[in-house]
Amino acid sequence: MVLTDLHGTTLSRIEVPRLADPEECVTLLVKTVKTLRASLGKERAKLSGIGLALPGFVARDRQTCLACTALGWRNINIGATLAERTGLPVWVENDAKALILGEQLFGPLRGSPDFSMIFVSHGIGCAHIVNGRLLWGNTGGAGEISHAPVTLDPQQALPCRCGNRGCLETVASLLAIGNAARQAGLSTSTRDLARLAAEGHADAVRILHRAGSAMGIATAQLIQMLDPSHVVVMLDPALKESVYGHALQYEAESHILHRTNACTMINFRDFEPESFARGAASLAARYFIFGHGGV
Ligand SMILES: [Zn+2]
């Protein structure tokens, strides 16, 4: 959890565990908000609101978590509960969407009307700004590339957490890389695997190349569909410099139709643990500044 100012600068941060029980989770959040608020000293009354990012579907009211597989939540009105317990306005958003809204408000791409962001973590998240607005989709699922199918071959399509088979997440995520490394008898640490690949270890190269290539093909599909000016790919720094990053870039660029004017820029950025929290904090800033949030 982070406390930021209205420019998105982090003023203080506290690491908290992920608690799946909604009641325990709210209790922890309330306690931590109190601690963060106290760090403001005399300025504590200026705390304008709370943003919350979570890996799942959020209702258009930006209060209710409709479904979150990672936490096992269904229809949890976490926003209302947190607002009631803290006395502060609360806005809830999907993690990837919070990330891109933070970028739109505070990041280097602020002002860009069309760009996309992808993050590669345990799962894979993605969100788009189109014509200056967050692309929501019919049910808020726009950008869920983690569960886009990348292989239809039943021999190769591994089962996914979502219940389907052959999703991008089963090939290109940190979860998939870790599983493949374990099966090959290698360390599941991304850093170790990247180091082994750099030393020419065949299995490490194969695992990272396959994962990065799949991510690159998914990125090319995204670019063909939306034609963004930029795609920001947030990666573990070790992956960024590894064969994963190179394969991603190569496959994405190989599968994009080259246009007559400028092409989509693919930018890598380090994925930091507090990226989501900063994105979430930008929601509170956005609503404070614009009133309606502009989303
Ligand atoms: Zn899936």
Side-chain angles (χ1 to χ4, degrees):
M1 292 176 71
V2 299
L3 177 72
T4 76
D5 64 14
L6 290 173
H7 303 284
T9 309
T10 303
L11 304 175
S12 50
R13 63 188 295 279
I14 297 177
E15 206 167 311
V16 291
R18 178 190 278 189
L19 299 177
D21 179 82
E23 184 52 43
E24 285 178 18
C25 177
V26 168
T27 303
L28 177 69
L29 295 180
V30 171
K31 188 175 146 228
T32 316
V33 165
K34 209 170 169 181
T35 311
L36 286 169
R37 194 174 199 176
S39 71
L40 286 169
K42 283 182 192 162
E43 306 282 288
R44 53 188 297 137
K46 288 189 178 173
L47 188 59
S48 59
I50 299 170
L52 183 73
L54 51 83
F57 281 82
V58 174
R60 274 190 191 271
D61 65 2
R62 263 69 181 203
Q63 298 290 305
T64 311
C65 169
L66 296 175
C68 173
T69 312
L71 294 168
W73 291 4
R74 288 281 178 281
N75 291 317
I76 304 279
N77 194 334
I78 182 104
T81 315
L82 199 54
E84 194 185 304
R85 301 263 301 268
T86 57
L88 289 163
V90 177
W91 296 276
V92 184
E93 189 53 275
N94 162 269
D95 51 5
K97 291 187 173 67
L99 207 57
I100 205 166
L101 289 170
E103 177 72 19
Q104 191 193 34
L105 194 62
F106 299 129
L109 290 178
R110 64 180 175 275
S112 301
D114 294 281
F115 66 98
S116 299
M117 288 183 85
I118 298 170
F119 70 83
V120 179
S121 176
H122 228 56
I124 296 164
C126 177
H128 316 285
I129 296 291
V130 176
N131 291 333
R133 294 180 72 85
L134 178 71
L135 186 65
W136 181 259
N138 182 38
T139 60
E144 284 290 338
I145 58 167
S146 204
H147 302 286
V150 288
T151 174
L152 298 174
D153 178 352
Q155 298 294 321
Q156 294 208 356
L158 297 173
C160 180
R161 292 189 287 178
C162 71
N164 287 334
R165 299 178 78 92
C167 299
L168 181 65
E169 184 178 298
T170 66
V171 184
S173 67
L174 297 190
L175 189 68
I177 293 170
N179 286 341
R182 194 177 301 108
Q183 276 184 5
L186 301 175
S187 160
T188 57
S189 146
T190 309
R191 190 160 303 220
D192 289 350
L193 210 57
R195 183 180 46 75
L196 282 174
E199 289 167 0
H201 191 292
D203 281 336
V205 170
R206 174 182 55 79
I207 291 166
L208 292 182
H209 187 268
R210 182 166 185 262
S213 297
M215 199 61 240
I217 289 169
T219 304
Q221 288 170 343
L222 178 167
I223 292 170
Q224 299 291 31
M225 275 187 256
L226 294 172
D227 187 20
S229 64
H230 295 77
V231 177
V232 178
V233 184
M234 301 186 78
L235 278 177
D236 182 308
L239 276 189
K240 189 175 73 174
E241 302 301 330
S242 77
V243 61
Y244 184 102
H246 299 307
L248 193 167
Q249 185 104 33
Y250 176 80
E251 288 297 338
E253 288 179 356
S254 308
H255 290 92
I256 302 168
L257 274 184
H258 286 274
R259 298 165 174 90
T260 48
N261 51 7
C263 280
T264 302
M265 296 283 294
I266 300 170
N267 298 342
F268 290 108
R269 228 186 267 173
D270 288 349
F271 181 71
E272 293 160 349
E274 65 179 55
S275 299
F276 292 131
R278 281 206 309 269
S282 81
L283 295 172
R286 177 181 287 269
Y287 280 86
F288 180 77
I289 295 166
F290 301 115
H292 54 82
V295 294

